[in-house]
Amino acid sequence: MRTDTPWSALPARDHLLAGEADAAGAPVLDVVVPVYNEEKDLEPCVLRLHDHLARTFPYAFRITVADNASTDRTPEVARRLAQALPGVRSYRLEEKGRGRALRTVWSHSDAPVLAYMDVDLSTDLNALLPLVAPLISGHSDLAIGSRLARSSRVVRGTKREFISRAYNIILRSSLAARFSDAQCGFKAIRREVAQRLLPMVEDTGWFFDTELLVLAERAGLRIHEVPVDWVDDPDSTVHIVRTATEDLKGVWRVGRALAVGALPLDRLARPFGDDPRDRGIGGVPRGLARQLVGFCVVGALSTLCYLALYSLFRLGVGPQLANGGALLVSAVANTSANRRLTFGVRGRGGAVRHQAQGLVVFAIGLALTSGSLAALGAASGSPSHGTELAVLIAANLAATVLRFLLFRAWVFPDRDRGGDRDRDRGGDGGPGGDRHPGGDRDRGGDAGGPVHAPPPRPSAEPAGTTHAEPADDTHHELRNAR
């Protein structure tokens, strides 16, 4: 997974001022159209999109054709459009991959709002302004078109409808995604969010959209959904089975990375106070309410696991050995779950120490439960299995309260959680920390910023456009872009 994101936190969302963008010579919106062997559809798509933006969009705009390794006349068509239409550019990449094309162009765009749409223009363009308006106003970080919203109007075959809905069910069940449509080719993002989020997205193909959205949602960024009118393209060249297979592989990879805390999503946090969730509960220490809820959930599941193990072990050994074995196994699992889910400690740093401290807490719980069993045996001689379980539940309730206090104050104190987060960032707790190993640099950047390739240079663009002209107005090819 990529971890070479910039150090600074995201700035507070502000309304974009058109005058400032114009003064800087940059458009407010950069719409990217990724293409591969689209010599037939490219020209009518760009002409229609350019006409729509020129008539309806109130800010300066740019259309960027991102050709990723086409082998037909697509590059020639793109160059001709760039020469004929103001505000149109073309880029040439020598490697295939829609995600690679988007990341390359978005990473080097000077527009504050970045968008993309498929070349078939299946989505009605009247949704474009509602898509980018929340980003321009500062309300949202990302925006997506949704074909599955109640008010959307969609025309497509049963097969594609089933696959789309099944895929979104998989995302909801496996990655806890709450957005409704991951793969509609109609999305937008604010540039400062893209600069920090794109280096963390590993996929370069069709799963790029899903990975981008999942990471953004897990980081607490705001995703705006726009119902769209969408008509399926019967001539689409997308290979459904191969794409679905790659998507499922991506779901597994991202799910595993999220489960082990391998992604430093805290780097995407907005400044304190910009998110309503930052408003603490009066009179309650920050984070305590959430930690109590998480600890109770983990504790309930651990107790069920413990009782099941005790009943299983009790079939072959005495009550004390069964209690000790069940408590040991559930304690290790309980410490790991609370470390990640309740107290938000990510990465492997300090994991052994935390488990050792957790075993000390386990020993205290063992003393309470074992003492309760011994007292029960002394009082009643041969108690029933149900009586043993009742006593153990009562003893575990007392041990649970003590366990939470020890976890919060000793095992996972605030300073320890902060230190682990800093180690996750690859440094020593501040911007001056060490960079990540060279493996991250091999992916195209370092900890200082999302550098994937030398900035791509645009093709020819006529005078009169609303953004800065390149020094050389001839067409260039972007080679070896990541």
Side-chain angles (χ1 to χ4, degrees):
M1 279 288 176
R2 301 176 184 276
T3 55
D4 48 342
T5 53
W7 289 105
S8 58
L10 284 168
R13 287 187 294 261
D14 292 324
H15 196 297
L16 299 176
L17 302 178
E20 293 182 1
D22 291 341
V28 171
L29 174 65
D30 192 349
V31 182
V32 181
V33 181
V35 291
Y36 173 73
N37 288 349
E38 298 287 356
E39 61 179 2
K40 176 182 176 182
D41 295 333
L42 178 57
E43 184 168 357
C45 161
V46 173
L47 291 175
R48 179 181 164 196
L49 176 59
H50 187 276
D51 176 69
H52 177 83
L53 288 171
R55 287 187 298 103
T56 65
F57 194 68
Y59 301 98
F61 65 86
R62 175 192 301 145
I63 299 172
T64 302
V65 179
D67 169 35
N68 45 305
S70 291
T71 57
D72 61 0
R73 295 179 55 254
T74 298
E76 178 185 338
V77 176
R79 283 194 297 269
R80 186 171 69 249
L81 290 169
Q83 294 170 354
L85 296 174
V88 175
R89 291 183 175 183
S90 67
Y91 290 130
R92 166 74 177 181
L93 290 86
E94 294 300 333
E95 292 182 84
K96 287 182 60 177
R98 182 181 68 168
R100 177 180 287 110
L102 290 175
R103 180 167 60 223
T104 301
V105 177
W106 279 358
S107 295
H108 301 100
S109 178
D110 54 354
V113 176
L114 311 169
Y116 97 88
M117 61 183 60
D118 291 336
V119 69
D120 55 19
L121 294 186
S122 294
T123 304
D124 182 24
L125 291 178
N126 287 327
L128 182 55
L129 185 55
L131 181 80
V132 301
L135 309 186
I136 293 174
S137 69
H139 175 271
S140 301
D141 298 293
L142 298 91
I144 65 174
S146 175
R147 298 164 295 185
L148 302 180
R150 289 183 179 273
S151 56
S152 297
R153 298 179 180 180
V154 177
V155 178
R156 61 177 167 181
T158 305
K159 181 180 178 180
R160 285 182 176 269
E161 179 77 11
F162 173 78
I163 292 175
S164 178
R165 292 188 179 274
Y167 180 63
N168 281 280
I169 290 174
I170 291 173
L171 293 181
R172 288 175 178 271
S173 59
S174 61
L175 299 179
R178 295 190 298 273
F179 47 85
S180 65
D181 192 349
Q183 291 196 316
C184 178
F186 198 70
K187 295 181 175 68
I189 185 172
R190 285 177 66 106
R191 183 180 62 187
E192 73 271 14
V193 176
Q195 288 174 341
R196 291 157 176 79
L197 187 56
L198 290 178
M200 299 174 65
V201 179
E202 186 171 319
D203 190 79
T204 59
W206 291 96
F207 187 70
F208 174 88
D209 301 52
T210 301
E211 188 169 357
L212 184 81
L213 292 173
V214 169
L215 299 186
E217 188 174 74
R218 287 299 187 96
L221 300 180
R222 182 176 293 156
I223 301 175
H224 179 74
E225 296 198 10
V226 178
V228 297
D229 297 341
W230 193 87
V231 179
D232 189 18
D233 179 13
D235 298 324
S236 175
T237 58
V238 177
H239 193 288
I240 297 179
V241 176
R242 182 170 62 243
T243 301
T245 302
E246 293 301 318
D247 286 347
L248 292 177
K249 291 179 181 179
V251 169
W252 167 256
R253 173 176 54 79
V254 173
R256 182 178 57 184
L258 291 172
V260 301
L263 293 168
L265 298 179
D266 51 338
R267 299 184 193 177
L268 299 173
R270 287 287 183 183
F272 180 80
D274 186 60
D275 193 318
R277 291 171 298 180
D278 292 334
R279 299 166 190 166
I281 302 174
V284 178
R286 178 167 174 78
L288 178 59
R290 183 190 61 79
Q291 289 174 2
L292 280 172
V293 173
F295 185 81
C296 289
V297 172
V298 172
L301 295 176
S302 297
T303 300
L304 293 176
C305 176
Y306 162 75
L307 293 175
L309 290 172
Y310 176 80
S311 299
L312 179 64
F313 294 161
R314 190 68 176 83
L315 297 176
V317 298
Q320 293 291 357
L321 287 178
N323 175 61
L327 197 57
L328 177 60
V329 174
S330 60
V332 172
N334 181 280
T335 300
S336 297
N338 276 307
R339 181 179 188 269
R340 175 66 180 88
L341 302 177
T342 302
F343 297 98
V345 180
R346 300 171 179 170
R348 299 177 181 176
V352 175
R353 173 171 57 84
H354 293 152
Q355 283 292 351
Q357 292 172 310
L359 289 177
V360 175
V361 179
F362 148 76
I364 297 175
L366 179 62
L368 285 173
T369 53
S370 297
S372 300
L373 283 176
L376 177 64
S380 59
S382 299
S384 65
H385 182 64
T387 303
E388 287 181 350
L389 289 180
V391 170
L392 286 174
I393 290 174
N396 266 293
L397 288 176
T400 297
V401 175
L402 181 61
R403 187 183 305 120
F404 177 76
L405 296 176
L406 289 174
F407 271 2
R408 181 175 172 83
W410 180 49
V411 183
F412 307 112
D414 287 338
R415 64 180 181 277
D416 197 27
R417 296 196 294 274
D420 281 340
R421 284 194 296 270
D422 290 333
R423 282 192 293 275
D424 278 347
R425 295 186 179 101
D428 56 359
D434 295 334
R435 292 180 177 178
H436 287 273
D440 284 333
R441 256 189 280 248
D442 290 341
R443 295 187 181 105
D446 57 28
V451 180
H452 300 289
R457 290 182 291 180
S459 68
E461 182 173 348
T465 182
T466 57
H467 49 274
E469 294 279 357
D472 181 1
D473 62 355
T474 59
H475 180 74
H476 296 274
E477 292 186 345
L478 177 63
R479 302 180 184 275
N480 301 322
R482 283 287 301 214

